[in-house]
Amino acid sequence: MQENLTEEERISKQRELVESLGMFTNRSGGTALAGRILGLLSFMDKEEYTFEEIVDELKISKSSASTTLNHLLDSDKVEYITYAGDRKRYFRIKINTRRQFLQAMRNHIAKVEKINRAAIELKKDKESRTSKNIQAMIEGLDFWKREIDNYEKEFLSDEI
């Protein structure tokens, strides 16, 4: 299906994916703009954008772009490079190894698990509907920790 797209249609579809990631990121607790910037740097054919190009492409204010890019740099999702003789910074998505990705997932699970375990400890009625829900969440997190470990053992044993 994708082979039949014109260049213009393909780029339009890429831009739709950029917007979709923005909406998904917003629904997941992040900002839509962070998702849109990540989408721009990931989904478009061009892999490096200057600050001005990001502002122009996404039609956003410079202050919003600056704030969001600084957050993405601080959270290690984006990086920038420079070229000799060019004063501009070129932003690009930070590429992580599968092992780094799995570690980030472990860290996220550990944080959520810690909060849920603290909550269940403070619950007066351990058999209440919400207590049971929290316990089910902890069990689910334990499952995913084991699955991550199994995936790492099976598929990443030879990765450096």
Side-chain angles (χ1 to χ4, degrees):
M1 176 189 133
Q2 301 301 328
E3 297 97 31
N4 298 330
L5 294 177
T6 66
E7 182 72 4
E8 187 176 293
E9 290 170 331
R10 190 180 60 73
I11 291 169
S12 176
K13 296 277 187 196
Q14 288 175 321
R15 286 191 174 117
E16 287 175 18
L17 288 174
V18 168
E19 293 304 317
S20 294
L21 185 59
M23 291 185 290
F24 175 79
T25 302
N26 188 249
R27 284 191 304 269
S28 301
T31 67
L33 184 52
R36 291 174 69 212
I37 290 173
L38 291 171
L40 181 72
L41 300 175
S42 297
F43 302 154
M44 302 303 289
D45 292 326
K46 181 177 175 134
E47 295 191 358
E48 299 169 358
Y49 285 81
T50 66
F51 178 82
E52 293 79 15
E53 288 172 330
I54 292 170
V55 167
D56 290 343
E57 182 72 28
L58 297 177
K59 297 173 181 37
I60 57 177
S61 71
K62 288 181 178 182
S63 62
S64 293
S66 178
T67 300
T68 305
L69 280 167
N70 284 330
H71 170 72
L72 292 171
L73 285 163
D74 290 343
S75 60
D76 220 23
K77 293 179 179 154
V78 166
E79 62 187 4
Y80 71 85
I81 58 171
T82 58
Y83 294 102
D86 188 349
R87 297 176 63 190
K88 294 180 181 179
R89 295 189 302 172
Y90 292 82
F91 295 91
R92 63 186 187 183
I93 201 76
K94 177 110 185 248
I95 303 295
N96 292 314
T97 65
R98 289 183 290 174
R99 202 173 295 283
Q100 288 169 319
F101 175 74
L102 293 178
Q103 189 56 49
M105 290 182 71
R106 280 190 185 96
N107 292 343
H108 179 76
I109 288 171
K111 289 175 188 175
V112 173
E113 183 180 29
K114 182 178 179 181
I115 292 168
N116 279 289
R117 288 192 186 280
I120 201 73
E121 286 296 316
L122 295 172
K123 284 290 214 175
K124 182 177 181 179
D125 181 2
K126 306 284 191 228
E127 297 301 316
S128 71
R129 183 169 86 47
T130 54
S131 293
K132 289 179 180 179
N133 186 57
I134 293 169
Q135 191 58 44
M137 177 85 70
I138 292 168
E139 290 170 11
L141 294 169
D142 286 340
F143 168 81
W144 287 114
K145 286 191 303 188
R146 288 189 308 275
E147 287 301 304
I148 289 170
D149 290 344
N150 291 338
Y151 175 84
E152 187 171 42
K153 286 175 192 165
E154 186 171 346
F155 296 106
L156 303 183
S157 59
D158 59 349
E159 185 178 275
I160 296 173

